[in-house]
Amino acid sequence: MSRHCAPAHPAFALHPLRRAARATLLCASAALTMLPAHAETDTGDALATQPDATMPAITITGTADKGSTTENSRSLASGKSTLFKGFESNREIPQPVTVITRQLLDDRAFFDMNEVLQNTPGVTVDYVDSERVQYFSRGYSIDAMQVDGLTITQGGSIFIQPDTAVLDHVEVLRGASGMLRGSGSPSATVNMVRKRPTKTFQANLGLSLGSWDRRRLEADVSGPLNEDGSIRGRMVAVKDKKKFFQDAKDENRKVLYGVLAIDLSKNTTLTTSLQHTDLDATGAWGGLPGNFDGSSLNLPRNTYLGADWNRWNRYNQQAFVELEHRFENEWTVKLSSEYTRMRMDDNGFKQSYFTRSSTTNPYLFGVTTSLYTGDAGDQEATGLTASGPFTLFGRKHQLVFGGESLRTKTRGTAGLFNLNPLTNVDIRTWNPYTSYIDRDVTATNTLTPTYTRQQGLFGTARLSITDPLAVIIGARASWWDYKAPASPATNYEIKHEITPFAGLTYDITRQVNAYLSYTEIFTPQNVKDVNNQLLKPITGEDYEAGLKGEFFGGKLTASAGIFRINNEGRAVDDTSSANPCGLSNPTGYCRIADGKTQSEGWELEVTGEIMPGWQVSGGYTNTRTKYLVDPAKANLGQPLRSMDPRQQLRVFSNYRASGALQGLTFGGGVAVQDDSYMRAGTLTAAQGGYAIFNAMAGYEFRNGYALQVNVNNLDDKVYYKKYGATGLAYYYGDPRNVVMTLRARF
């Protein structure tokens, strides 16, 4: 097959590296078209055979397909996004939108979504444990994310945080997202937009070396596969092996992503892709304990309460297809579908588990082993959207309508726990290599799956009332169905829930516009009352107002906004019922839909070039949340998540020199937040405000090579990225660390 993979092309006669790269792309793309969407691929093993040692990065800059792509723009700003269907310009969207461009991902050396969202204005990252991460905004959980505009729910212990090597950019819309996906909390929507094939050839190899023995190798090859460029392909491969600042903790990630774009006609494009991500990690089922009063024990940062044989191994696979047709009358129809498969490796979860064994010595613990298997998730998402202009009363307006479906099949884990007990362990002398010896054990899984189906129909019209004034109105009808064959009493469904949306934008000048919006909130909850009846969904309203601007021909974007979110109907304990309640809740009170919460605040954001060569990306958020109604009187007036900072600042800036210093880029930034606390009963854990500084410097040599160095946590600040008054809830933030990246451009 190799003789026929790379037909001769004059453009590739200039350099043997181009010929080799194009041959690789053609062969890999041919293999991609033959690979079954659900295949158990072995890309990880193939990547593992590649050497970890010195390979420079090779980048041949090409022209990306038009649209909202940010690759090769060299800009930290983008005035376009895709997550609000039918609206390309961020100024047309009456809610705050942040775009993390490809340039910012490269400048900051962000390699996974945790790093991205930790540095995104208005978003906080919460650790359930080392591998299960939750994102929050405005006091509420970001309960689903999107990949290329299609919703994906995080699969708990088997979900792998996406690697940024496959991404062109990340879009974050803060506030309620009822128009985007119907149900959900009024937090934010995160859309990860993956790279697409380019119309001209480009290749990129990158080698990153970092603290704690990090070795990362990236390969990215893209370009046309035939003479006229009507067939284009792209392959991205990653091998990322690293240790952590904690003893015996490590991670090995492998990614393979392939995408084809085929112009079926001048106005019709078919895009299809496959992605496989494999992650082997020691993991940690918990962080570090606090003292009996909830305060920190100030254990050394390298403390790892686990064993070197711990494992948390899993893989995710995605198959994607999109058909887009652009009519001559400016209308566009897009049909897209994605299948996501998440699996735990056979006996891939084996963890040591620590529990406190003394009421007088805060350092004494017992240790046991837990082994689980069978965790699996399958998700099928499909979306159909039609958008385009229409004329009414002599003015041109915009209309968007379509439908979406998300089907999820989830199978939980089953296994063994409390194995191989070890008692009275002093965690100050714990050695993860020798203190707890591994013992063979096997677990099986017999759990039956559960099924969730969400469907929606939506429509939005942007009506041009006058030249500066546009009114946006829309609504979405949603259906929700949950089935658990093993326990049919927990089945529930919600029919034709209507979620309206309204907004307006007003162009104050050609560069600045004002916006207002109103969105209703709808979040199902599988909770029952004293009569064993399902509680109604949580409902509420989200009000937004602000200003947006684009300056210097779109090179600089800025926004300022205020918001208020009212949420009601949240399930809370019905203290007038029996405890335990019975069938409705055999372990506690019955529930009642009587909780009310509120979130309000304001935010500022500036992104892009403020002077020639000088760029900035920064945002400030001030958020106040509180319980308005709650049966626990101590909660009234208290924040929804006291651990989330009220004030948060994220800023990064760089300067690309010219003249005699041309080729030099240097920059830096800071992440600042104010104090916070966590309470559990009478216990309190707290942390004062802090600032984390970072810096970068890079140089592009005249022969095409480029070298970049990133230093994070410059002053080696000791802080906790997560903490709590009880349990193993303390997680240190990363100490000072360095990442060096080598690239080359031809």
Side-chain angles (χ1 to χ4, degrees):
M1 184 174 105
S2 60
R3 284 189 310 171
H4 307 288
C5 287
H9 192 289
F12 293 88
L14 300 176
H15 198 288
L17 180 59
R18 288 190 174 189
R19 292 196 300 269
R22 189 170 190 267
T24 300
L25 175 62
L26 286 164
C27 292
S29 298
L32 174 68
T33 61
M34 296 183 288
L35 181 64
H38 304 172
E40 295 282 354
T41 59
D42 196 22
T43 57
D45 292 339
L47 283 169
T49 63
Q50 300 179 15
D52 288 324
T54 59
M55 289 188 68
I58 303 142
T59 301
I60 303 167
T61 302
T63 303
D65 287 343
K66 66 180 181 178
S68 62
T69 58
T70 67
E71 183 181 26
N72 300 322
S73 69
R74 289 205 162 190
S75 176
L76 303 185
S78 175
K80 297 181 179 181
S81 58
T82 62
L83 82 175
F84 205 93
K85 296 175 177 60
F87 293 74
E88 188 176 74
S89 171
N90 291 334
R91 288 182 60 186
E92 295 178 347
I93 302 172
Q95 288 180 244
V97 178
T98 298
V99 179
I100 299 96
T101 65
R102 183 67 248 178
Q103 188 63 48
L104 182 57
L105 296 176
D106 290 337
D107 286 348
R108 293 297 310 275
F110 289 151
F111 296 140
D112 64 46
M113 284 302 297
N114 286 346
E115 295 173 327
V116 173
L117 293 179
Q118 281 170 349
N119 292 275
T120 298
V123 177
T124 58
V125 179
D126 193 359
Y127 288 78
V128 179
D129 44 47
S130 71
E131 306 304 308
R132 289 179 293 181
V133 179
Q134 293 180 319
Y135 305 128
F136 288 83
S137 181
R138 300 181 172 183
Y140 300 98
S141 171
I142 301 176
D143 52 0
M145 305 176 74
Q146 293 185 341
V147 177
D148 293 329
L150 293 175
T151 299
I152 178 173
T153 59
Q154 300 183 55
S157 61
I158 51 175
F159 179 68
I160 300 175
Q161 301 299 327
D163 193 286
T164 60
V166 306
L167 301 180
D168 177 87
H169 65 277
V170 179
E171 304 165 348
V172 181
L173 180 143
R174 290 185 294 279
S177 56
M179 281 299 298
L180 301 182
R181 57 185 185 88
S183 67
S185 66
S187 51
T189 298
V190 179
N191 185 32
M192 297 166 284
V193 181
R194 292 183 293 190
K195 294 175 178 176
R196 299 292 178 97
T198 52
K199 292 183 177 180
T200 57
F201 178 80
Q202 66 178 44
N204 179 32
L205 297 179
L207 172 68
S208 298
L209 303 175
S211 299
W212 312 306
D213 198 25
R214 180 165 208 162
R215 293 169 290 168
R216 177 181 173 90
L217 185 65
E218 296 182 19
D220 183 350
V221 184
S222 178
L225 300 179
N226 59 355
E227 294 291 336
D228 63 2
S230 61
I231 302 177
R232 303 172 297 281
R234 188 165 195 161
M235 297 293 294
V236 179
V238 178
K239 178 175 172 59
D240 191 346
K241 190 173 184 179
K242 66 175 182 177
K243 296 180 181 178
F244 293 80
F245 60 90
Q246 299 102 325
D247 293 337
K249 194 167 180 287
D250 58 45
E251 181 179 286
N252 190 2
R253 178 192 298 254
K254 303 150 195 172
V255 182
L256 183 62
Y257 168 66
V259 55
L260 287 173
I262 305 171
D263 292 333
L264 302 180
S265 70
K266 181 182 67 172
N267 295 328
T268 306
T269 302
L270 174 68
T271 304
T272 181
S273 69
L274 291 174
Q275 181 174 335
H276 178 94
T277 304
D278 190 277
L279 182 64
D280 292 345
T282 51
W285 208 359
L288 302 177
N291 209 332
F292 290 128
D293 62 358
S295 63
S296 171
L297 287 173
N298 297 315
L299 294 165
R301 282 193 282 185
N302 67 336
T303 304
Y304 172 57
L305 294 187
D308 64 331
W309 46 261
N310 285 175
R311 59 180 182 264
W312 201 317
N313 304 337
R314 57 213 189 265
Y315 63 90
N316 292 178
Q317 295 174 325
Q318 289 175 316
F320 173 82
V321 62
E322 176 186 276
L323 181 64
E324 182 180 36
H325 181 75
R326 300 165 295 279
F327 292 92
E328 298 294 341
N329 61 0
E330 300 182 59
W331 272 78
T332 298
V333 176
K334 182 186 294 185
L335 174 64
S336 54
S337 183
E338 186 170 64
Y339 170 76
T340 303
R341 188 170 186 261
M342 295 178 281
R343 294 290 187 273
M344 186 78 71
D345 289 353
D346 291 340
N347 293 313
F349 181 95
K350 191 175 186 180
Q351 292 288 314
S352 49
Y353 183 67
F354 285 70
T355 54
R356 183 157 264 149
S357 61
S358 172
T359 58
T360 57
N361 186 339
Y363 300 100
L364 286 184
F365 281 77
V367 187
T368 59
T369 298
S370 296
L371 178 68
Y372 286 87
T373 186
D375 205 354
D378 296 88
Q379 300 181 19
E380 300 174 13
T382 301
L384 175 63
T385 303
S387 62
F390 69 97
T391 301
L392 183 64
F393 301 124
R395 301 195 64 84
K396 190 176 182 180
H397 314 280
Q398 190 79 10
L399 179 64
V400 185
F401 62 90
E404 292 178 326
S405 174
L406 175 63
R407 298 170 182 264
T408 302
K409 175 184 176 182
T410 303
R411 186 183 68 201
T413 60
L416 305 170
F417 56 95
N418 290 336
L419 305 173
N420 310 324
L422 184 65
T423 59
N424 292 325
V425 172
D426 192 324
I427 58 175
R428 291 171 294 185
T429 59
W430 176 261
N431 186 324
Y433 297 99
T434 61
S435 293
Y436 194 40
I437 305 303
D438 188 17
R439 296 185 183 180
D440 290 334
V441 65
T442 302
T444 59
N445 185 290
T446 57
L447 295 180
T448 58
T450 61
Y451 303 86
T452 302
R453 182 177 62 181
Q454 304 178 55
Q455 295 176 310
L457 297 174
F458 59 87
T460 305
R462 185 178 188 271
L463 305 176
S464 176
I465 307 302
T466 65
D467 286 344
L469 176 64
V471 174
I472 303 166
I473 56 173
R476 179 184 177 112
S478 300
W479 291 260
W480 179 290
D481 183 72
Y482 172 84
K483 286 184 171 57
S487 53
T490 63
N491 294 351
Y492 68 98
E493 65 177 347
I494 296 171
K495 298 182 178 179
H496 52 265
E497 182 77 21
I498 304 299
T499 307
F501 173 87
L504 64 84
T505 61
Y506 185 85
D507 293 335
I508 301 173
T509 69
R510 298 180 68 177
Q511 292 80 32
V512 178
N513 70 291
Y515 68 86
L516 291 169
S517 70
Y518 165 84
T519 309
E520 289 197 359
I521 299 163
F522 150 63
T523 307
Q525 47 187 348
N526 186 13
V527 180
K528 297 184 178 180
D529 62 16
V530 67
N531 298 315
N532 203 32
Q533 297 297 310
L534 189 71
L535 296 185
K536 293 181 178 180
I538 300 171
T539 59
E541 307 87 25
D542 179 9
Y543 303 90
E544 307 271 349
L547 300 172
K548 293 186 180 183
E550 286 188 359
F551 309 95
F552 310 127
K555 293 181 179 180
L556 179 70
T557 64
S559 65
I562 59 175
F563 65 90
R564 169 173 282 187
I565 298 169
N566 297 318
N567 227 7
E568 59 182 289
R570 182 179 61 89
V572 296
D573 286 343
D574 180 3
T575 55
S576 65
S577 70
N579 185 0
C581 179
L583 290 177
S584 296
N585 186 7
T587 60
Y589 286 108
C590 297
R591 311 301 294 279
I592 186 173
D594 198 34
K596 294 183 180 180
T597 61
Q598 185 178 90
S599 174
E600 60 184 7
W602 58 280
E603 45 201 23
L604 302 170
E605 189 168 358
V606 178
T607 306
E609 191 174 63
I610 55 179
M611 291 180 63
W614 183 11
Q615 295 197 76
V616 65
S617 175
Y620 168 83
T621 56
N622 187 307
T623 305
R624 302 175 300 279
T625 66
K626 59 184 176 181
Y627 289 94
L628 298 178
V629 176
D630 196 275
K633 301 303 180 184
N635 285 340
L636 297 180
Q638 295 298 309
L640 308 184
R641 283 177 46 82
S642 57
M643 182 182 165
D644 291 349
R646 176 173 175 175
Q647 300 183 81
Q648 186 188 78
L649 176 69
R650 303 284 187 261
V651 177
F652 173 78
S653 180
N654 66 16
Y655 180 75
R656 193 177 303 274
S658 58
L661 297 178
Q662 185 172 356
L664 176 65
T665 301
F666 56 89
V670 64
V672 184
Q673 63 184 57
D674 59 1
D675 56 348
S676 58
Y677 66 92
M678 288 287 289
R679 287 178 180 158
T682 60
L683 304 181
T684 300
Q687 178 169 246
Y690 61 85
I692 305 299
F693 295 91
N694 58 78
M696 65 82 66
Y699 191 80
E700 295 183 21
F701 299 92
R702 292 185 181 274
N703 62 1
Y705 284 84
L707 181 66
Q708 179 176 308
V709 177
N710 291 79
V711 183
N712 302 306
N713 196 355
L714 270 171
D715 59 352
D716 202 24
K717 174 72 175 179
V718 178
Y719 71 101
Y720 295 102
K721 58 187 177 183
K722 163 72 182 288
Y723 62 93
T726 60
L728 304 179
Y730 277 85
Y731 291 80
Y732 279 113
D734 290 359
R736 182 191 299 117
N737 60 94
V738 180
V739 177
M740 180 180 67
T741 302
L742 178 64
R743 302 187 181 95
R745 303 181 188 278
F746 292 86

